Amino acid sequence: MPEKYHISTTPVPPRLPRIGKYGIVDWREDCARCHNCVKKACVYDRHRQESAYLRTLKYSNFLFFECMGCFYCVQNCTKELLALTINSEYENLGNQYWTPEIIQTTWQQAETASVPVSGAGYRGKFAGRGFDAMWTDMSEIVRPTRDGIHGREYISTSVDIGRKPAHLEFKEGRIVSETPEILDIPIPLILDMNPPEFTLPRLEPFILEAVRMTDIIAIVDSTKWPECLNEKQRQRMDAYLPNIAFHLNSEAPEIPKDVLRKTRMVEIPDSDDALDRRAALREAVPGIVVSIRVPLNKRGVDRAVALVDQGADVIHGVADFNGNEINVKNPRFIKDMIREIHTRLINSGARDQVTLIAGGGIALPEHMAKALLCGADVVSSYLPFMIALECRLCSDCKPGLSCPAGLEAIGFDYGVGRMRNLIAAWYLQLIELMGAMGMREARRLRGDVGRAMFFEQMEEEIFGTLFGTRKQA
Amino acid sequence: MEHFSAPENRLNDMGAVLPANTVRTMVPQVDVCREIAPAPPRYRNEFAKYVIFRSDACVHCGHCAELCPHHVHVRKPGYTLFAMPKSYLCTGKSCEKTGYYCIDQCPQHALRMVENPMIRALGDYRWPADMLLGTWKMAETGEPPAEEYELNYQTGNSGGGFDRLRFRFPEKPPAGLSDDEIDTSIILNRRDDGRPKIAIDVPWYGGGMSFGSVSNITQLSKARAAVAWNTFSCTGEGGYMERMRPYDGHMITQVATGLFGVREETIQRVPIVEFKYAQGAKPGLGGHLLGDKNTPAVAKIREAVVGISLFSPFPFHSVYSIEDHMKHLDWIKHINRRALVSTKVSTPTDVDMVAVGSFSAGTHIIHLDGGYGGTGAAPDIAKKNIAMPIEYAIAKVHKFLVDEGARDKVALIASGGVRTAHDIAKAIALGADGVVVGTAELVALGCVRCSRCSAGRGCPRGIATTDPELVTQMDLEWGTQRIINLYSAWRKDLIGILKRFGMRSVRELVGRSDLLMHLDFNNDAGVNKTDGPAKSQNASAKGKGRKPKKANTEQKP
Ligand code: SF4
Ligand code: SF4
Ligand code: SF4
Ligand code: SF4
């Protein structure tokens, strides 16, 4: 068996008390002080474990943050004094898109680096908006390979970034066509820059350590160079450069050429002269992959397609952090915008040669797989890696306000460990989905809508024949 | 009421000449009585939608106890004081309209009713609190919950699929049928291949749950209820326990990819053998029993080494084509000459092709397991994202099998998110012959769907665990009765539906999607079907002309 991509992980416990979904309210008065207190019978021993913490609470709500919601104590209490409630702090996590469930599962994955598993089937909505309006396929008998227990052992999740020639030309047995540099990363994931709404913590040193360990790429705002590495990291700067893609802000001081040469990819913001800048960069740093960052606003899709027409080979389309088209009244979702770009590039015949990176709203590992099925080659994301550090996505993430999760003052090992664990958990879950599909190559996921099922399409094709037209929302 | 019947009697039941190797596997069988008996909840404080509080002003006059027909107020014999009100029996706000509303009638104004705020923490989108409460009531009483309880137990809040489908009942039943004129049985062998035409009395059977994933008591309760209702239960992947032997005649041996505990005898002793290719809870993924759950008892039955993690590969490493699949079926059919074979698959995009392939390979039962069900531990990412919901799959496969001319030669069984009698009826109207249920049986046993079945010692409520201390919470008689009661109540609900359509048999309902409407559609297709009933705007699927209830889909669980 060839050497396999592997991320070594160890659990990294949280710094703060956990915010669980359920809490137990204990109406102390009237307690019978019976000797069979049901609190002792909690299978998870929550009442005892958390009593020490609860004693330190100033106000008197007796919440158990890691209550599993089994109702055992509630239903056996002699005097019916215990009640189970949903923790309001839990319900207030995140926003409409970044739901408490997403935040909680991200915390769990950042702690354990493993695939979250639970019993009792699915508990959620039939379908939803965005990525929740699609399902991935499975196969009864097709496997990634016939080897191994599940065949998963042979799944490759690596993808390429850069221009792929449409064909090769040979002369007397030798390749004569130009073979541009491409860059391959072991997971179709790039850690992006922070969205402007979340500016408080400076997480670059952790991010860069985590991407070095996992050999993926992080996009770094060039204005932050070299402060994006801490002192110790700066001493061995070369070790980090292959995993950095500078976002070359035109106002920022230039990154020295010898530094750029050690990176494999750079990104430039879209502008009228983006293609000229790209050409200049490629001349100055031969072989470097240049991505053009296109904000997915009203013009985003058209612009991405136009840039490819004019010779761009890597497009990074970015929606807002909730995955929506930027500044549009009835925004489209990232998955639909990717599908459109992808389809239009197929029609123009350019799709196979260029790389499409999709960002905005990528919150869970399944979004990575689904974005690929919709036509992206790679996804980019930031917030999950901030949430990994116990961020709650409050809206106080601005200089001058203090972070309730204390992200300004986290330890290095903690920060790196939690991010690395989350990357590892995403990787494992991508393999789960690919294994179920019987897919061996993440490269082949791209645009394979035949291996996806879309809610609107299923409703129309299957229910439409039975129930006619769907009501307009 | 149990008795042993000699194996010879069962030979006659089969109506077929049995090969010697099958006869050799036969052991005396235990009968279980189908009768309903009260099986009250096993917890001290049962969930109540409305809670009654009695204040110190109470003078214990006993007026409330005399009034309330639901026995909420109890004074134990020999006591002067009343016990804590049994709020879960109270019908709640609807009682206001009666003459006996104790809150108003108490001369001391000592009683107070509040909506239980804890209900918000109970259940989820697929199994909202009302559905759990309704299912518990059915398991307790054997009857559909009385209307006064105003429990919307028939549909969940998932916002799609079954939860948005409603029956279009005719204004008035086209035929006046009495309950006992309505037949709920279905036939599982629709091929003319000389194998027994096994019929089950209700259009459902119990899904596979292995020992290890659930307790002995849970498994046996399921099996015994299957005996009582003349239907089936399934071993699951973990092997055939000796304790199941007295119920052989109502068991399905599952042959899953790990082949744990699969031996010639375990195939020969049962009337149905199920090939599990995939399961809806984790479509496309194999099972994984963690090393510390591989206890000596589990290891023995799985014929494995104690303490090592047990992987079930995915899929069958011996099946890469329909021809391979056919060989598997032939193998089973050869080893057990009376067996029907079922092929359990998940719901990929090409589920229709899978089904027709399986049919041509010779399966008797095509069992589609959709992505939203399952009881066992599964990766969260798989539960939500992989494979199509069963509602689509049933309709798709039914249509395809009809078009291929194969539909009447195979039994189409659906599972994966079938929670109530109404779901069962909807699944059948979409095109299934019957369904497989799992979660609902566990709910009958007191499951609250906390989904911690796989964590630590397993289910804290003693259902899905093999922890020696936790399993003692439940006894076999009670467990059996709860499931028997649930089945009885479901059957009544189902008969209520068939009656409103004037159908004498549940088999008439198969594929009658014209009798369904979808709340998100204009329902303007195929309205002019022959013998289609008059359209009714009644959006409620509940019988007895109940007022339509607004479907509440946005409520958070
Ligand atoms: S509800 Fe269950 S998990 Fe929560 S504290 Fe009570 S016994 Fe423990
Ligand atoms: S009617 Fe009122 S005073 Fe009388 S026993 Fe009931 S609660 Fe007490
Ligand atoms: S409100 Fe009605 S049902 Fe409830 S306890 Fe009083 S009398 Fe009984
Ligand atoms: S652990 Fe929770 S979900 Fe699982 S069987 Fe027990 S009560 Fe049900």
Side-chain angles (χ1 to χ4, degrees), chain B residues 164-175:
Chain B
R164 299 298 284 164
L165 294 175
R166 298 289 184 275
F167 281 106
R168 306 159 173 256
F169 287 114
E171 299 292 353
K172 188 155 109 246

Side-chain angles (χ1 to χ4, degrees), chain A residues 70 74-75 77 91 116 118-121 123 125-126 132 135-138 140 143 148 370 459 467 469 471, chain B residues 45 120 158 314-315 317 346 348-349 372 375 378 380 383-385 387 392 449 461 519-520 522-524 553:
Chain A
C70 78
V74 173
Q75 286 195 269
C77 171
E91 286 186 291
S118 61
R123 301 160 61 86
K125 287 268 187 185
F126 184 84
D132 287 347
W135 298 274
T136 63
D137 196 15
M138 60 81 64
E140 308 292 342
R143 287 305 79 203
K370 288 177 177 178
E459 290 278 295
F467 308 117
T469 47
K471 287 180 188 162
Chain B
N45 314 317
R120 218 171 72 79
S158 77
F314 188 88
H317 277 27
S346 187
T349 42
Y372 285 167
T375 52
D380 291 344
K383 287 181 179 180
K384 178 177 178 183
N385 298 295
Y392 297 142
R449 289 184 54 75
R461 301 168 72 91
L519 299 181
D520 299 330
N522 293 314
N523 300 294
D524 44 8
T553 55

Side-chain angles (χ1 to χ4, degrees), chain B residues 310-322:
Chain B
L310 298 180
F311 290 94
S312 304
F314 188 88
F316 283 108
H317 277 27
S318 43
V319 179
Y320 283 88
S321 65
I322 288 297

Side-chain angles (χ1 to χ4, degrees), chain A residues 341-358:
Chain A
I341 300 175
H342 174 73
T343 313
R344 284 172 61 180
L345 293 181
I346 290 179
N347 293 341
S348 71
R351 183 64 191 94
D352 280 340
Q353 292 147 59
V354 298
T355 306
L356 178 57
I357 306 170

Side-chain angles (χ1 to χ4, degrees), chain B residues 7 48 77 91 127 139 169 174 248 259 271 278 295 305 323 392 411 420 457 496 525:
Chain B
T91 57
W127 276 86
F169 287 114
D248 280 350
L259 301 179
T295 59
V305 178
E323 290 71 27
Y392 297 142
T420 63
R457 291 162 67 196

Side-chain angles (χ1 to χ4, degrees), chain B residues 54 57-65 73 82 106-111:
Chain B
R54 178 184 284 107
C58 168
V59 295
H60 303 283
C61 67
H63 190 51
C64 56
H73 305 282
F82 271 89
C106 167
Q108 309 295 326
H109 303 293
L111 297 174

Side-chain angles (χ1 to χ4, degrees), chain B residues 121-249:
Chain B
L122 179 67
D124 50 65
Y125 289 114
R126 290 203 65 81
W127 276 86
D130 272 15
M131 191 184 277
L132 289 170
L133 294 171
T135 306
W136 288 329
K137 284 234 177 324
M138 291 190 270
E140 178 179 357
T141 64
E143 300 289 337
E147 287 194 19
E148 308 87 275
Y149 285 101
E150 294 188 327
L151 291 174
N152 179 14
Y153 68 98
Q154 309 101 332
T155 47
N157 285 335
S158 77
F162 292 137
D163 291 344
R164 299 298 284 164
L165 294 175
R166 298 289 184 275
F167 281 106
R168 306 159 173 256
F169 287 114
E171 299 292 353
K172 188 155 109 246
L177 294 173
S178 70
D179 287 7
D180 44 17
E181 284 175 283
I182 298 174
D183 177 11
T184 55
S185 73
I186 59 167
I187 291 179
L188 296 176
N189 180 9
R190 307 184 73 195
R191 287 178 186 270
D192 282 318
D193 63 351
R195 289 181 185 249
K197 295 263 175 208
I198 296 177
I200 50 179
D201 290 356
V202 283
W204 64 82
Y205 55 85
M209 294 179 209
S210 63
F211 173 60
S213 72
V214 294
S215 73
N216 265 324
I217 302 278
T218 303
Q219 258 197 341
L220 288 171
S221 301
K222 279 163 49 73
R224 288 162 54 86
V227 174
W229 273 102
N230 184 33
T231 180
F232 283 86
S233 186
C234 173
T235 59
E237 175 159 29
Y240 206 115
M241 290 193 310
E242 278 305 301
R243 292 178 63 174
M244 307 300 260
R245 297 303 314 274
Y247 316 108
D248 280 350

